[in-house]
């Protein structure tokens, strides 16, 4: 009976470790900027995806693997009280086009986490299910 209890305990610990690893593996830190003009996107072409969207940098985009995924973007901006917004990745923010941020939010999404005068803010990104 003791061997069964030890095995159960070991399986429980392994499950907790796997779940913790999966939840932290999707977290990242970076810089958010914003854009105003909606143009055809790398993920959805001309399809309107609303205002809570973003473009991912070359490194964050992972060769398109993040297309269509949603992320909670949280700002440490004290003026907005650590506000966050959930955005869907719909485009790329290519360094060859001058992109210098980790994630480029559509203007309305950026305004939820920072003052537009800021131009860029440090953020934490966490993978989240899309609404």
């Amino acid at each position: 009976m003791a061997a069964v209890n030890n095995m159960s305990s070991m399986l429980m610990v392994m499950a907790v470790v796997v779940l913790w690893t999966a939840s932290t593996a999707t977290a990242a830190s970076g810089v958010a900027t914003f854009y105003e003009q909606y143009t055809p996107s790398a993920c959805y072409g001309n399809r309107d995806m609303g205002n809570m969207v973003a473009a991912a940098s070359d490194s964050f985009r992972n060769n398109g693997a993040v297309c269509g995924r949603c992320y909670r973007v949280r700002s440490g901006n004290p003026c907005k009280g650590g506000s966050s917004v959930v955005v869907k990745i719909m485009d790329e923010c290519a360094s060859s086009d001058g992109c210098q941020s980790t994630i480029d939010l559509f203007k309305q999404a950026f305004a939820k986490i920072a003052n537009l005068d800021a131009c860029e803010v440090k953020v934490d990104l966490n993978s989240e299910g899309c609404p």
Side-chain angles (χ1 to χ4, degrees):
M1 188 63 154
V4 171
N5 285 339
N6 285 341
M7 181 64 96
S8 295
S9 296
M10 190 179 335
L11 288 174
M12 180 68 86
V13 169
M14 289 173 58
V16 169
V17 169
V18 167
L19 290 173
W20 179 80
T21 303
S23 67
T24 59
T26 57
S29 294
V31 174
T33 54
F34 72 91
Y35 64 100
E36 298 182 56
Q37 179 126 4
Y38 196 90
T39 59
S41 73
C43 304
Y44 294 100
N46 287 319
R47 207 162 114 206
D48 184 358
M49 299 304 291
N51 294 331
M52 298 301 125
V53 295
S57 67
D58 297 332
S59 59
F60 186 61
R61 191 169 176 268
N62 193 17
N63 293 319
V66 298
C67 267
R69 290 189 184 168
C70 289
Y71 287 85
R72 179 165 301 278
V73 181
R74 185 175 311 278
S75 164
N77 184 337
C79 298
K80 291 279 187 171
S83 299
S84 69
V85 64
V86 176
V87 295
K88 181 180 259 188
I89 303 297
M90 61 162 277
D91 208 352
E92 66 180 321
C93 178
S95 58
S96 61
D97 293 333
C99 182
Q100 297 182 13
S101 64
T102 308
I103 190 165
D104 197 23
L105 305 172
F106 198 60
K107 183 178 180 179
Q108 285 84 343
F110 187 91
K112 291 198 178 276
I113 63 165
N115 185 318
L116 294 176
D117 292 335
C119 298
E120 69 177 48
V121 292
K122 291 182 180 180
V123 293
D124 291 319
L125 306 159
N126 289 291
S127 181
E128 184 159 304
C130 291

